[in-house]
């Protein structure tokens, strides 16, 4: 035990002497968490700039313009008589849409000719385009219904009867789990999980690769020739520090008012398994690739697309099957799947049994492979040392 404590002190010194590792390990979750939290703090997209080309200039088009001005999701940047150089302006001003109200619009409505409003959407940003489209459609459909009902009333129909004649049926949307459409609730948990996986990968990639590079591994082998002992030695400092990092990450949820139930036992189990699986994969690469730069680069190849492939923001049904199959063995994929079940759907351990099983499998397979490979390298190093002594 005394030897282990002494070696553990050396491990902490070696870890804290690496400024880059410390910046990534502590700085990334704290810095990125705050950064992305404030990016999505507004919660939903508002004030998307639009241009209205009013070629009719009638009381009806004035009413339509006023309705767009009152919509919180849209910001009427300009109202003009002609389009002008709108196609040249759009990339510069980043207009989300251009709405054209044609000449004779009011006259055609009164004469039941069904005039057409043209909406040109800027599809360079699909999120903005979809949000703008939904808001524009909502405004125009509301006005369309109102005008139709008013027309029926002018024909002498009773207001209630006019409304009933237009509304064949009603639609009532009941939004569940994220009723406000809050982007903080939607995006930030997934981003934080991906960041945590990445920093664990990068931190553990240096666990043994650094020792191989600077010769410290031979010193460790001289003291202990057990792969299990060395793995425990390397893992202990991070097992001590990671709960602190996870605590900081968890505090972002109440701070940014994220309505997700994360302070429960199933989430603790899921978080522990993500941590262990990520640590085992990182350490396996560290043992297999005795070069710090190459080990971190290869782990970055796995970690960088992990968030996209996880299915958290893009449905897995739309991803080719072979890609989805590979993504299932990236720890954050399973974590995010289980996270949604627990945090938003109120699931228990039984509801994330599949995720627990795969994360456990990843952990065990990576651990066994690491033990076998590390023991091989320990024996090889020990043999070299004995030959030197004998020589």
């Amino acid at each position: 035990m005394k030897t282990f404590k002494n070696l553990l002190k050396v491990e902490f010194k070696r870890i804290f002497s690496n400024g880059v590792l410390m910046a990534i390990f502590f700085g990334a979750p704290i810095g990125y968490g705050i950064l992305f939290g404030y990016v999505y703090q507004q919660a939903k997209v508002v004030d998307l700039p639009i241009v209205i080309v009013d070629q009719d200039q009638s009381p009806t088009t004035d009413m339509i313009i006023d309705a767009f001005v009152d919509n919180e999701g849209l910001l009427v940047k300009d109202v003009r008589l002609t389009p002008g150089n709108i196609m040249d302006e759009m990339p510069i001003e980043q207009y989300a849409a251009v709405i054209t109200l044609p000449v004779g619009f009011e006259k055609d409505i009164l004469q039941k000719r069904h005039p057409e409003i043209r909406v040109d959407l800027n599809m360079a940003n699909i999120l903005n385009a979809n949000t703008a489209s939904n808001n524009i459609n909502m405004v125009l459909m509301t006005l369309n219904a109102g005008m139709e009902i008013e027309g029926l009333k002018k024909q002498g129909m009773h207001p209630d009867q006019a409304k009933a004649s237009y509304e064949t049926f009603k639609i009532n949307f009941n939004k569940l789990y994220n009723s406000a459409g809050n982007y903080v609730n939607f995006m930030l948990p997934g981003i934080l999980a991906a960041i945590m996986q990445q920093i664990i990968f990068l931190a553990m990639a240096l666990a043994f690769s650094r020792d191989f590079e600077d010769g410290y591994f031979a010193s460790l082998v001289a003291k202990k020739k057990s792969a299990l002992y060395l793995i425990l030695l390397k893992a202990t400092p991070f097992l001590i520090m990671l709960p602190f990092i996870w605590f900081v990450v968890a505090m972002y949820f109440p701070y940014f008012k994220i309505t997700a139930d994360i302070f429960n036992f199933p989430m603790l189990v899921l978080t522990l398994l993500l941590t262990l699986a990520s640590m085992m994969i990182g350490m396996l690469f560290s043992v297999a690739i005795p070069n710090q730069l190459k080990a971190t680069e290869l782990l970055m190849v796995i970690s960088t697309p992990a968030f996209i492939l996880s299915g958290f923001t893009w449905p897995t049904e739309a991803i080719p099957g072979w890609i989805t199959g590979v993504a299932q063995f990236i720890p954050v994929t399973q974590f995010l799947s289980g996270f949604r079940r627990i945090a938003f759907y109120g699931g228990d351990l039984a509801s994330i049994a599949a995720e627990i099983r795969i994360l456990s499998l990843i952990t065990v397979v990576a651990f066994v492979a690491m033990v076998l490979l590390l023991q091989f390298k320990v024996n090889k190093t020990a043999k070299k040392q004995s030959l030197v002594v004998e020589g």
Side-chain angles (χ1 to χ4, degrees):
M1 180 60 73
K2 184 177 180 180
T3 302
F4 185 83
K5 288 182 179 179
N6 290 335
L7 290 175
L8 192 59
K9 289 179 183 178
V10 175
E11 284 300 317
F12 272 108
K13 287 179 181 179
R14 287 173 64 80
I15 290 170
F16 282 97
S17 67
N18 190 327
V20 175
L21 174 59
M22 287 296 96
I24 293 172
F25 193 76
F26 291 104
I30 297 171
Y32 284 142
I34 293 172
L35 175 64
F36 288 120
Y38 281 111
V39 165
Y40 293 108
Q41 190 180 33
Q42 185 172 265
K44 57 183 177 180
V45 180
V46 297
D47 291 337
L48 290 171
I50 64 170
V51 172
I52 300 177
V53 180
D54 183 6
Q55 297 176 338
D56 193 44
Q57 291 188 289
S58 62
T60 300
T61 57
D62 288 343
M63 179 181 65
I64 292 173
I65 293 168
D66 289 341
F68 280 119
V69 170
D70 291 339
N71 185 280
E72 69 169 353
L74 304 171
L75 176 64
V76 180
K77 292 283 286 186
D78 189 20
V79 178
R80 59 181 70 172
L81 301 179
T82 60
N85 297 321
I86 193 67
M87 294 303 295
D88 294 330
E89 293 178 37
M90 187 173 279
I92 299 171
E93 300 294 336
Q94 292 295 301
Y95 297 136
V98 178
I99 302 168
T100 303
L101 307 173
V103 175
F105 181 77
E106 183 177 67
K107 182 180 177 181
D108 288 343
I109 286 179
L110 295 174
Q111 295 180 0
K112 300 293 183 180
R113 292 178 183 170
H114 303 291
E116 180 179 284
I117 295 175
R118 174 172 170 171
V119 179
D120 295 299
L121 286 172
N122 181 352
M123 296 298 292
N125 185 319
I126 294 177
L127 172 62
N128 286 350
N130 288 340
T131 304
S133 176
N134 290 337
N135 281 281
I136 291 169
N137 190 56
M138 180 176 64
V139 170
L140 294 179
M141 290 297 288
T142 302
L143 290 172
N144 193 22
M147 289 178 185
E148 186 70 22
I149 292 169
E150 286 299 316
L152 293 173
K153 287 163 62 178
K154 287 178 181 178
Q155 294 175 17
M157 190 176 288
H158 188 275
D160 292 338
Q161 188 180 2
K163 186 177 180 181
S165 297
Y166 185 79
E167 290 186 341
T168 308
F169 58 87
K170 295 182 179 181
I171 302 172
N172 181 25
F173 287 98
N174 184 25
K175 298 179 180 179
L176 304 175
Y177 306 116
N178 186 8
S179 58
N182 191 317
Y183 263 82
V184 175
N185 286 0
F186 173 51
M187 289 295 293
L188 193 59
I191 291 174
L192 289 174
I195 289 171
M196 286 303 296
Q197 176 185 260
Q198 187 155 324
I199 68 154
I200 295 171
F201 274 175
L202 295 180
M204 302 315 298
L206 306 179
F208 286 103
S209 58
R210 182 184 179 185
D211 296 348
F212 291 135
E213 282 189 343
D214 62 15
Y216 181 64
F217 183 72
S219 301
L220 290 175
V221 172
K223 291 183 174 61
K224 285 289 180 179
K225 296 177 177 58
S226 168
L228 291 173
Y229 183 93
L230 297 180
I231 290 169
L232 178 62
L233 176 66
K234 293 292 180 180
T236 299
F238 295 99
L239 292 173
I240 293 171
M241 294 186 291
L242 277 169
F244 167 75
I245 302 298
W246 276 115
F247 175 78
V248 172
V249 169
M251 289 301 101
Y252 287 132
F253 283 72
Y255 181 78
F256 288 110
K257 298 180 175 61
I258 299 174
T259 54
D261 182 18
I262 64 167
F263 299 103
N264 51 60
F265 182 69
M267 188 63 72
L268 177 63
V269 172
L270 196 63
T271 303
L272 177 62
L273 287 173
L274 171 67
T275 302
L276 292 175
S278 300
M279 287 181 67
M280 294 305 106
I281 291 174
M283 292 179 76
L284 175 60
F285 273 70
S286 180
V287 173
I289 305 166
N291 180 284
Q292 295 180 77
L293 182 59
K294 289 182 179 179
T296 53
E297 285 177 343
L298 286 172
L299 281 169
M300 283 292 289
V301 170
I302 297 174
S303 187
T304 301
F307 180 64
I308 297 172
L309 300 180
S310 68
F312 193 76
T313 58
W314 185 254
T316 53
E317 293 80 5
I319 302 175
W322 67 272
I323 296 178
T324 305
V326 172
Q328 294 305 307
F329 295 97
I330 300 176
V332 77
T333 299
Q334 299 302 325
F335 176 83
L336 291 177
S337 174
F339 176 90
R340 186 168 280 165
R341 294 172 190 271
I342 297 170
F344 296 122
Y345 301 155
D348 54 12
L349 284 176
S351 69
I352 58 167
E355 288 81 1
I356 290 174
R357 186 165 54 251
I358 297 177
L359 281 171
S360 300
L361 177 65
I362 294 170
T363 303
V364 171
V365 170
F367 176 74
V368 171
M370 175 175 50
V371 170
L372 295 175
L373 184 57
L374 182 60
Q375 191 62 59
F376 171 77
K377 293 196 172 188
V378 167
N379 293 342
K380 186 177 178 180
T381 303
K383 186 176 180 180
K384 287 181 180 179
Q385 290 176 340
S386 63
L387 289 174
V388 170
V389 172
E390 290 175 4

